[in-house]
Amino acid sequence: YVAEYQFNAAQISAVGADGTNARTLFALPAAQWLPIGLTFNPGNGRLYWTDSAGASEIVSALTSGAGNTVVASFTGFGRGASLDAQGRIYFSSNNTLRRVNADGTGLTTLYTDASTNPLGQPKVDATNGRVYVGANGRIISLDLDGGTLRTVVEGVSQPRAIGLDVGAGFIYWADGDTITDFVGRARLDGTEFTVLIDITP
């Protein structure tokens, strides 16, 4: 699933994992033109994303576009939506990592970085109960209540999006700012830091 932003004309699309059958699923309302981060919950068939076009909101809809619902509103510029095993939604807002229940209750700040630099999109490891996020030149992980902070990868710039291969023990990220643009990979213990795709600058 892919969130495509365009002023007053954003849409949600899909493509097969092999690159075939690319298609538009539905158009978003004009006011929801900046979807950042997208995740799917197969348990209820709903997509979740953060929209930061105006009021920052967590939004949800079925893959048909039906049932478009604002789950929660919050202050700051939001990024990402990632779910834990309970269906709770994790996202960043400016330099904070936050969580909200799928029904919009229980909005909680889990972590605030000492820097005012914005955090990237978080990614939940539901198997091991950890959440990963890019924060001020590194990737950190915390438990799902915000405790036990660990630095996973250092020496990065702005890790904006994260992917996990828990079975193989790898973390992947997209690092992008004015001086770096690359896709990187490392072991979950921080070793084997590798630049896989470099499109700098």
Side-chain angles (χ1 to χ4, degrees):
Y1 297 100
V2 182
E4 301 181 74
Y5 77 87
Q6 180 179 347
F7 181 65
N8 288 344
Q11 62 186 23
I12 303 297
S13 301
V15 64
D18 61 358
T20 61
N21 195 25
R23 61 205 183 276
T24 298
L25 296 178
F26 57 91
L28 292 173
Q32 294 178 4
W33 62 266
L34 191 56
I36 302 178
L38 182 66
T39 193
F40 176 65
N41 185 343
N44 61 12
R46 297 189 72 87
L47 294 160
Y48 295 86
W49 67 92
T50 298
D51 184 84
S52 291
S56 291
E57 300 170 331
I58 301 293
V59 186
S60 175
L62 296 171
T63 56
S64 65
N68 184 302
T69 303
V70 174
V71 176
S73 298
F74 55 92
T75 58
F77 190 91
R79 290 178 173 83
S82 190
L83 308 177
D84 66 14
Q86 299 176 49
R88 297 180 297 185
I89 305 160
Y90 296 71
F91 64 98
S92 66
S93 172
N94 295 344
N95 67 333
T96 64
L97 175 66
R98 309 178 94 176
R99 184 186 70 207
V100 66
N101 297 327
D103 63 1
T105 63
L107 182 62
T108 303
T109 295
L110 300 177
Y111 170 77
T112 300
D113 196 70
S115 166
T116 58
N117 294 331
L119 301 183
Q121 299 178 29
K123 183 66 176 178
V124 172
D125 170 4
T127 301
N128 297 302
R130 304 287 295 173
V131 57
Y132 295 76
V133 68
N136 195 30
R138 68 200 197 283
I139 298 173
I140 61 173
S141 77
L142 306 99
D143 66 35
L144 298 184
D145 290 323
T148 321
L149 187 150
R150 300 174 187 149
T151 296
V152 180
V153 178
E154 295 183 285
V156 295
S157 184
Q158 291 191 30
R160 298 180 181 272
I162 292 172
L164 296 171
D165 183 346
V166 175
F170 281 110
I171 184 168
Y172 296 80
W173 68 94
D175 193 311
D177 66 8
T178 56
I179 59 172
T180 61
D181 285 289
F182 70 89
V183 175
R185 181 184 70 189
R187 290 282 180 186
L188 291 175
D189 63 5
T191 61
E192 299 184 27
F193 185 122
T194 305
V195 174
L196 298 176
I197 304 170
D198 189 357
I199 55 172
T200 303

